[in-house]
Amino acid sequence: MPELPEVETTRLGIEPLISGCRIARVELRVPKLRWPLDPRLPALLVGQSIRSVGRRAKYLLFYLDAGCLLLHLGMTGNLRVVPQSSPAAKHDHVDICFVDGRCLRFSDPRRFGALLFVPDQPLEHPLLSKLGPEPLSAELDGRYLYRRSRNRTLPVKPFIMDQQIVVGVGNIYASEALFMAGIRPGRAAGRISEKAYARLTEAIKQVLRAALAAGGTTFSDFRRVDGRPGYFKQQLLVYGREGEPCPRCAAVIVAIRLGQRSTFYCRRCQS
DNA sequence: AATCGCGCCTGACGGC
DNA sequence: TGCCGTCAGGCGCGAT
């Protein structure tokens, strides 16, 4: 599910509710998510307070008194803050319970999410150390994408979804940004001009900012911390709109598969 | 080094 | 009604 706007929406919703809270208990209800959960997790966390909640790429970082808890929402994960007395539903896999009676509840039907404790230097962790720049930072510009794409033959859509190139862009926003920039998703990344990459860069920033302002996109699973969906789905221009008229030229939006992922674009507006 | 395709899971949906 | 195949917003891994 979640791309950068959804993860950041989650972070913004959660941080004011849980920062400063001391952990009293941790309940693990499944043995593994993407990877086996460390059974020492409760012992490592109990007694510690959450100092702040950060984000790097699509990972949430819960900074503790000592160490950091790394959480990835996978495709279907979501976080809620609920009273500990509220009964756990089917896919509520982990509760981080605080001394005040509330808990942070991680739910993830497909269990592609991840949760691991990192004792120190979380940004140096192998999962984070090789990630590309944040898309909303100045580090991402047309020149950067142009430079990184030289001699690359893969299609530009999987290229911008590669987290080592730029983080936070998933399948939905990749289609949207390429439409906004007028670039066909199947074109080889290495054969796109610096000028076109400048347009693509601006499109990526624009769509991510707009989606963030709308609280993210809910296609099926994504929920904000308060349980409400994200409202950006209504503003999607091409994603999920196969057969509908292009919002710009009214030609029919087509769907193709690129790197085993559904991809939407307008044959007339994108070249 | 780059690229491709698989698999991890569950659930929803369409066709028969 | 049930069974089967396909698809879903991510990502790491192994093979080539």
Side-chain angles (χ1 to χ4, degrees):
Chain A
M1 94 171 149
E3 307 181 41
L4 184 137
E6 292 74 34
V7 179
E8 183 65 10
T9 294
T10 299
R11 189 189 73 78
L12 290 169
I14 269 179
E15 173 151 54
L17 298 178
I18 67 166
S19 51
C21 290
R22 194 151 68 89
I23 298 168
R25 196 160 46 88
V26 176
E27 286 197 23
L28 309 175
R29 298 194 190 84
V30 288
K32 66 184 285 259
L33 296 170
R34 166 175 268 281
W35 297 293
L37 289 167
D38 186 344
R40 295 170 306 172
L41 221 40
L44 289 164
L45 302 185
V46 166
Q48 297 219 54
S49 292
I50 295 183
R51 293 197 175 171
S52 62
V53 185
R55 180 189 60 74
R56 172 72 175 108
K58 299 174 192 172
Y59 289 88
L60 290 170
L61 290 83
F62 298 86
Y63 288 98
L64 308 168
D65 297 327
C68 182
L69 192 61
L70 227 59
L71 185 145
H72 196 295
L73 295 170
M75 294 248 283
T76 53
N78 66 80
L79 289 169
R80 312 276 298 273
V81 176
V82 297
Q84 285 163 35
S85 56
S86 93
K90 187 166 182 189
H91 299 295
D92 295 343
H93 303 314
V94 180
D95 282 356
I96 296 174
C97 305
F98 303 111
V99 293
D100 66 4
R102 297 173 308 142
C103 70
L104 179 66
R105 183 164 282 177
F106 182 36
S107 176
D108 183 11
R110 284 177 72 183
R111 287 190 255 146
F112 286 178
L115 184 67
L116 54 154
F117 179 79
V118 182
D120 56 5
Q121 306 274 41
L123 298 179
E124 309 299 312
H125 190 277
L127 288 170
L128 304 189
S129 64
K130 283 184 292 186
L131 293 170
E134 289 287 327
L136 296 179
S137 74
E139 242 188 291
L140 178 72
D141 59 16
R143 170 196 266 278
Y144 168 82
L145 282 185
Y146 178 74
R147 186 170 56 74
R148 292 295 306 268
S149 62
R150 289 313 87 185
N151 301 321
R152 299 291 301 266
T153 58
L154 86 167
V156 61
K157 177 167 172 269
F159 173 72
I160 58 168
M161 289 171 65
D162 180 344
Q163 303 297 296
Q164 297 196 26
I165 299 300
V166 57
V167 303
V169 181
N171 200 41
I172 291 182
Y173 300 120
S175 276
E176 293 296 296
L178 287 162
F179 172 75
M180 292 162 73
I183 300 168
R184 281 207 190 198
R187 278 181 64 193
R191 302 192 57 187
I192 290 173
S193 69
E194 184 167 349
K195 197 174 163 190
Y197 273 122
R199 291 201 311 274
L200 182 54
T201 295
E202 287 316 302
I204 289 170
K205 292 174 192 275
Q206 202 182 318
V207 71
L208 294 181
R209 281 201 193 102
L212 185 53
T217 298
T218 295
F219 233 83
S220 51
D221 305 84
F222 177 67
R223 295 285 137 175
R224 304 193 221 184
V225 175
D226 59 11
R228 284 158 44 206
Y231 296 120
F232 195 69
K233 185 178 176 185
Q234 300 148 253
Q235 294 178 58
L236 294 175
L237 301 171
V238 290
Y239 186 87
R241 299 197 182 275
E242 180 181 14
E244 294 180 31
C246 165
R248 200 174 149 260
C249 79
V252 173
I253 301 293
V254 297
I256 58 170
R257 286 190 79 75
L258 226 43
Q260 294 89 245
R261 298 239 105 94
S262 54
T263 302
F264 301 85
Y265 74 101
C266 171
R267 282 202 187 107
R268 195 185 295 172
C269 293
Q270 294 172 257
S271 55

